Amino acid sequence: MITLGIDIGGSGIKGAPVDTDKGEMLKERYRVLTPQPATPKAIAGGVKEIVKHFGWKERIGIGFPAAIRRGIAVTAANVDPSWIGTDAKALFEEATHCKVNVVNDADAAGMAEMRFGAGKGAVGVTLMITVGTGIGTALFQNGELVPNTELGHIEIRGKEAERRASDAARQRKDLSWEAWGERFDEYLLTLEKLLWPDLMIIGGGVSKYFDRFASVLTVQTPITPAKLLNEAGIIGAGVAGLHQPVGKA
Ligand code: BGC
C-alpha cells in the first residue's frame, strides 16, 4: 500500500509517499521548518503544507515527538507545552481531510528498522535509540513494539539524558564525536543495565556518523547503526499510517 509518511521533529517536518510493502520512499522527501513556538496550530500548518506539496488525499501516518495514546499527545518535551492533552489525530485529520494515524516518532523509526532495516528478523529484546533534537526510544520483543517508552528522559548525573547526550547537546557544546560518544556511552551503559537488550540500534541524525564514535562505546550489547538512516522516521510513519491508534485513552 502507499501512504504519506510524515516525521515531525524539533527542527524540521519531513514527508514523502511511502511504499509500505517495500519500505521505500517513492519521491524525494519534502521538508519544512518546524515553526517556533511549535504549537498545535502552527505544526498542523506545516503538515498541511506537506500534504499540499504532494497533492495527497489518501491515508497519512505521522511520527510525533511525544508519547501518544489513542491519538492524544500526553507529553511535550521538545514542542510547545500546549500539546499535552491535544488530540493530534483529530487535529491533523481536520487540517488535511485525510485519515491519519499518529504515533511516537521513535516508535515509527523503530518499526521501519525492524521491518526493513537493521532489526529485520531480530529475536529477543531490541532497543532502538533515535538521537536528534531529543533522544527517543523504541522497545521491541520479537519484533513486537512496546509503545511510548520515553527512555531519553532517564536521569544521568542528575540531568535528563537527552539534555546531556542528544545531537542538539553535541552541537550546543561543540563536542567532538569522541567526546560526545563518551557521554552517549554512559547513557547506553545505563540503559543496558536496566533492560539487558539483545540488540541496540542507533538511529536519527547521528547514525550516519556511527563510525566516528563507535570506537569509544563500551556496552557489551551488540550495537549497530540504523540501516535506513534518517529515512526511518518517514518510512516508519508511513507504515503507521496503515494502522489504527494504539494505547489506552
Ligand atoms: C520525546 C520523545 C521523542 C524523542 C525524539 C523526546 O524528547 O519525549 O517522545 O521520541 O524526543 O524526538
Side-chain angles (χ1 to χ4, degrees):
M1 215 175 139
I2 313 289
T3 60
L4 182 67
I6 299 180
D7 182 20
I8 299 178
S11 53
I13 306 177
K14 298 146 269 178
V18 171
D19 180 326
T20 59
D21 299 311
K22 292 192 181 144
E24 282 169 10
M25 291 181 4
L26 295 171
K27 286 197 177 144
E28 196 175 325
R29 70 171 198 175
Y30 184 68
R31 182 180 193 266
V32 298
L33 287 178
T34 303
Q36 298 300 339
T39 59
K41 200 172 161 207
I43 289 195
V47 165
K48 219 167 153 176
E49 263 187 67
I50 291 178
V51 170
K52 198 168 148 208
H53 173 83
F54 291 107
W56 199 257
K57 298 204 163 40
E58 312 294 326
R59 295 191 77 94
I60 300 175
I62 297 184
F64 188 78
I68 304 287
R69 280 196 309 203
R70 285 193 197 266
I72 297 170
V74 290
T75 65
N78 288 306
V79 287
D80 193 75
S82 59
W83 273 98
I84 296 178
T86 296
D87 188 334
K89 174 181 162 68
L91 174 81
F92 294 134
E93 286 192 335
E94 200 184 304
T96 62
H97 305 291
C98 294
K99 274 229 165 298
V100 177
N101 187 24
V102 186
V103 297
N104 171 260
D105 59 345
D107 284 349
M111 282 195 284
E113 283 298 322
M114 294 307 282
R115 276 194 189 208
F116 309 110
K120 204 173 163 184
V123 287
V125 176
T126 303
L127 181 65
M128 162 109 174
I129 301 136
T130 305
V131 188
T133 309
I135 294 184
T137 53
L139 184 66
F140 297 86
Q141 158 72 345
N142 291 338
E144 197 69 35
L145 173 70
V146 179
N148 290 322
T149 55
E150 285 283 329
L151 301 175
H153 299 288
I154 60 172
E155 268 191 25
I156 308 246
R157 295 179 191 262
K159 231 180 172 188
E160 271 190 313
E162 76 170 17
R163 301 283 307 154
R164 284 180 50 79
S166 65
D167 197 34
R170 182 187 65 80
Q171 290 174 28
R172 204 170 46 236
K173 300 242 166 197
D174 199 15
L175 298 174
S176 67
W177 282 109
E178 287 76 19
W180 173 81
E182 280 165 17
R183 285 179 174 221
F184 188 53
D185 186 48
E186 194 177 22
Y187 172 57
L188 296 181
L189 285 168
T190 309
L191 291 177
E192 180 173 67
K193 75 172 183 235
L194 292 173
L195 293 170
W196 297 108
D198 297 295
L199 174 68
M200 287 178 170
I201 303 175
I202 309 305
V206 305
S207 53
K208 64 169 178 269
Y209 302 102
F210 187 76
D211 288 348
R212 304 222 196 147
F213 60 86
S215 62
V216 300
L217 303 183
T218 63
V219 279
Q220 348 166 350
T221 310
I223 185 163
T224 178
K227 271 209 183 116
L228 305 173
L229 301 175
N230 237 352
E231 287 186 1
I234 295 175
I235 294 172
V239 170
L242 297 172
H243 305 296
Q244 290 305 307
V246 285
K248 277 189 173 174

